[in-house]
Amino acid sequence: LIDNYEDKYVPELTELFPELAEEAPIETTHKSKQPASNIPKLSDIELAAHAFFSIGSLLYHGNLTEKAIPAYDLAIMLKPDFWEASYNLGIARYDLKQHTEAISNFNKAIELNHNFASAYYNRGIAKSKLDRHESAIADFDKAIALDLNSSQVYCLRASANALLGKYDAAVSDYDKVIELKPDFVEEAYNIRGILRSELGQHDEALADYTEAIRIKPD
């Protein structure tokens, strides 16, 4: 694909600099025309892998997610340890609601880079979509342990805990959400109020509902 692109769009050196053709003959044969027995150098393979990774990123950010997937696949084929490509492929497949496939890609990214918090975080989200809440919580735990200290990860872990009936743990997570984002979190106060009602903590629940109304009177 890269050679075809060069053949179509990249001018020969003698086209750019006609004076060179007058001084000495120049070999301008493309790699695609070399004998098939020539094995590309590792640096050439890596360059091609990064090229396809960049193509995939451009397509994804251009809302052409389905077309981004084969570009990421090619990057991984050329460079099997390309964990960033596996991660991006997982994101693209998640966006297409291919949750099982996305988890497989996140697994590979984590295998290659086990300290990448965002891979655990997004794998947890995908698992939640498949109702694998216990496993999702373990991923959110790992993301937090790796310093992914965002209100969103606590909010998602709270939801998973609540769905498993672990209301105390969910309340603790919403405590952290409110700590990290004290203003404009009326929904966090509202949900924490519901959880506290379930736990029989009615005074605390009333305080949460009151705070939610104060933040957003309507």
Side-chain angles (χ1 to χ4, degrees):
L1 288 173
I2 292 170
D3 285 340
N4 289 340
Y5 177 87
E6 288 178 347
D7 287 338
K8 186 173 181 180
Y9 296 109
V10 180
E12 303 286 355
L13 284 176
T14 50
E15 292 176 35
L16 290 170
F17 307 102
E19 64 274 15
L20 292 176
E22 299 171 5
E23 295 175 4
I26 293 176
E27 177 57 58
T28 57
T29 303
H30 287 291
K31 290 190 291 292
S32 59
K33 296 161 189 168
Q34 292 177 356
S37 60
N38 283 6
I39 299 174
K41 296 177 183 177
L42 181 60
S43 59
D44 295 334
I45 294 173
E46 289 183 340
L47 179 62
H50 283 280
F52 284 118
F53 176 79
S54 297
I55 290 168
S57 297
L58 288 168
L59 290 168
Y60 177 79
H61 290 292
N63 296 318
L64 298 170
T65 305
E66 289 186 0
K67 292 185 177 181
I69 286 176
Y72 289 135
D73 278 332
L74 280 166
I76 294 165
M77 181 187 74
L78 291 165
K79 184 175 166 58
D81 63 346
F82 203 164
W83 64 267
E84 297 95 334
S86 292
Y87 173 75
N88 278 21
L89 182 56
I91 295 293
R93 285 185 163 148
Y94 175 84
D95 285 359
L96 295 173
K97 302 188 187 307
Q98 300 172 4
H99 300 128
T100 301
E101 295 84 351
I103 289 169
S104 178
N105 295 132
F106 294 137
N107 288 345
K108 187 62 178 179
I110 290 167
E111 176 188 328
L112 295 167
N113 182 358
H114 59 273
N115 290 320
F116 186 43
S118 292
Y120 291 99
Y121 169 71
N122 283 287
R123 188 174 70 176
I125 297 173
K127 287 176 178 178
S128 292
K129 293 292 184 181
L130 298 174
D131 295 327
R132 294 167 55 184
H133 301 300
E134 289 281 6
S135 187
I137 290 169
D139 277 340
F140 296 140
D141 288 346
K142 184 66 175 179
I144 291 167
L146 291 169
D147 293 327
L148 188 63
N149 196 35
S150 74
S151 59
Q152 190 61 24
V153 67
Y154 287 102
C155 195
L156 289 166
R157 190 174 70 174
S159 295
N161 276 316
L163 287 166
L164 292 171
K166 299 179 179 180
Y167 299 134
D168 283 320
V171 167
S172 295
D173 280 332
Y174 278 114
D175 290 345
K176 193 66 178 178
V177 172
I178 291 166
E179 175 191 325
L180 291 169
K181 197 174 181 182
D183 297 323
F184 308 109
V185 288
E186 69 280 358
E187 192 60 29
Y189 282 106
N190 185 48
I191 296 173
R192 192 174 68 175
I194 294 169
L195 294 168
R196 284 176 162 170
S197 294
E198 291 292 330
L199 291 167
Q201 301 170 1
H202 302 300
D203 289 339
E204 294 86 345
L206 284 170
D208 278 339
Y209 295 139
T210 300
E211 184 64 10
I213 293 166
R214 185 194 68 78
I215 295 169
K216 189 174 181 182
D218 61 344

